[in-house]
Amino acid sequence: MKNSLLISILLLTCISTNAQTIKITVSEAQIFARFGTHTNEEVLKAPDEDRGLKQIDCDYTFDLEEKTCIFFSRSLGGVGNTLPIHDITRKGSVYILEIADYGRYDASFSYPVKIYVDIDKETMLYTWYDKYLDRSFVSACWKLKMTLEGMQ
């Protein structure tokens, strides 16, 4: 009995210390925009603006237990930040992560962001709404490398 209790405690300790992280390196992305409040599908289907395919080099680390999003971009000259994840929703293989990002040039501007990560299809959409311009944006990450740690 004592042995099974000890084994159970050890297993629970191992499971609880195993961080659930999604690490993504993006090498190709494309930003689409549309005036007004729209779904991702609406923006991608009929954008007002398509900024074209860009070669980029950036990392995202989503720690689902600590609820943090770490971003680092080599292509922007070493720019990075860590933001809290306010909400995590899972729909099948898709994680929807909600954060509040801020302006690159004016940090007093805030933007609600939803990041859709499909761990089966290995895709990511970074979406945000700009209330100052009344525009919906979708950054479709076309080429990426994804690694999962501690995920089921």
Side-chain angles (χ1 to χ4, degrees):
M1 179 72 170
K2 287 182 181 179
N3 285 342
S4 61
L5 180 62
L6 180 62
I7 291 171
S8 297
I9 291 170
L10 286 173
L11 283 173
L12 286 173
T13 304
C14 291
I15 291 170
S16 66
T17 59
N18 194 7
Q20 292 186 349
T21 56
I22 302 171
K23 295 181 179 181
I24 298 174
T25 298
V26 181
S27 57
E28 207 172 79
Q30 190 167 1
I31 296 176
F32 301 90
R34 185 169 175 185
F35 284 102
T37 305
H38 300 282
T39 66
N40 302 336
E41 293 79 18
E42 291 170 335
V43 174
L44 291 170
K45 185 177 178 180
D48 295 328
E49 177 185 10
D50 176 349
R51 297 189 184 170
L53 194 60
K54 304 277 189 225
Q55 303 302 310
I56 61 173
D57 186 11
C58 63
D59 298 321
Y60 292 87
T61 302
F62 304 108
D63 187 322
L64 304 182
E65 285 186 9
E66 295 296 321
K67 292 184 120 181
T68 57
C69 168
I70 300 169
F71 169 76
F72 182 78
S73 174
R74 287 169 290 281
S75 53
L76 290 176
V79 172
N81 63 12
T82 301
L83 297 170
I85 299 172
H86 300 295
D87 191 44
I88 301 169
T89 305
R90 184 171 182 183
K91 293 184 178 180
S93 65
V94 178
Y95 285 86
I96 304 167
L97 312 171
E98 294 184 42
I99 64 173
D101 204 348
Y102 54 88
R104 299 214 193 292
Y105 303 110
D106 186 345
S108 69
F109 287 20
S110 65
Y111 304 94
V113 172
K114 284 188 179 181
I115 303 168
Y116 297 80
V117 178
D118 189 325
I119 60 173
D120 285 349
K121 294 180 181 176
E122 294 195 358
T123 61
M124 182 173 103
L125 292 178
Y126 186 101
T127 70
W128 70 100
Y129 175 71
D130 185 332
K131 64 183 176 186
Y132 309 101
L133 299 174
D134 187 29
R135 289 187 93 184
S136 299
F137 292 87
V138 175
S139 177
C141 302
W142 300 122
K143 196 180 274 188
L144 56 85
K145 178 184 169 195
M146 184 181 299
T147 57
L148 308 174
E149 296 177 7
M151 306 292 289
Q152 296 180 17

